[in-house]
Amino acid sequence: MKPFEEIKIEKLKYTATEIPKKIDIHLQFGHFFNSYAKAINKRYNRTGSLFEKNFERKEVPTIAYFKKLIHYIHFNPVKHGFSEYIWDYPWSSYQSIISHKPTKLNREFVTELFKNEDYFKLYHTEDKDYSDIDEFIIEF
């Protein structure tokens, strides 16, 4: 198998079980945050939640809504002064999407939401009104 080649479930061979059990991503994040909270609480001799309120899953009802969320996430480091431009923030998925280096990110899916890479870049240069995604925004 080539490095970073997509894993095809139908090509896998199993020895112990017929099909591996399904892993729900929301449960995995829950386990991660619980473990993290326990470790921090143990280290600093404290108890209770680390986060102000619990995380929730929210349905993203439309593609337009989803595109605006992607823009918001990419624009956040600029808004909060961590970077001058979206493309300069090193921990953003923006660079992975426009790059041609191997990645586990499904960049084709993301760029197709915006038609193509050029429209993806153009969309990210325009100011956006986030009033319709207020329920997703957490500001301090």
Side-chain angles (χ1 to χ4, degrees):
M1 190 157 103
K2 298 175 193 170
F4 303 107
E5 183 179 339
E6 185 175 337
I7 296 172
K8 307 275 190 227
I9 192 104
E10 63 275 0
K11 290 185 178 180
L12 295 176
K13 296 179 180 158
Y14 305 101
T15 56
T17 61
E18 189 63 32
I19 297 175
K21 72 176 187 172
K22 182 180 176 197
I23 298 174
D24 292 320
I25 194 71
H26 71 282
L27 293 176
Q28 296 302 314
F29 272 104
H31 294 311
F32 169 73
F33 286 119
N34 284 335
S35 298
Y36 181 74
K38 286 179 184 178
I40 294 297
N41 285 343
K42 183 177 181 180
R43 180 174 183 156
Y44 294 102
N45 198 25
R46 61 180 305 281
T47 60
S49 177
L50 298 180
F51 305 103
E52 189 172 315
K53 57 184 179 176
N54 293 334
F55 291 105
E56 297 178 18
R57 292 184 297 160
K58 301 268 186 181
E59 182 179 356
V60 178
T62 65
I63 296 298
Y65 211 76
F66 187 44
K67 288 167 58 173
K68 195 171 280 190
L69 286 172
I70 292 170
H71 183 278
Y72 173 78
I73 290 166
H74 289 156
F75 185 71
N76 228 6
V78 175
K79 179 180 179 184
H80 294 287
F82 295 111
S83 173
E84 189 172 351
Y85 302 104
I86 289 174
W87 46 86
D88 284 342
Y89 191 67
W91 297 282
S92 171
S93 61
Y94 181 88
Q95 285 296 341
S96 294
I97 292 167
I98 63 169
S99 170
H100 297 285
K101 295 178 182 176
T103 181
K104 294 202 183 277
L105 183 75
N106 189 343
R107 70 170 57 97
E108 291 79 25
F109 172 78
V110 177
T111 55
E112 285 174 11
L113 291 172
F114 297 87
K115 278 194 178 173
N116 59 43
E117 187 179 310
D118 290 333
Y119 281 110
F120 174 82
K121 290 177 183 177
L122 178 63
Y123 189 89
H124 280 75
T125 61
E126 301 166 344
D127 289 333
K128 299 287 179 253
D129 172 21
Y130 296 125
S131 60
D132 57 338
I133 62 169
D134 276 345
E135 67 183 284
F136 293 105
I137 298 174
I138 302 170
E139 295 296 335
F140 300 99

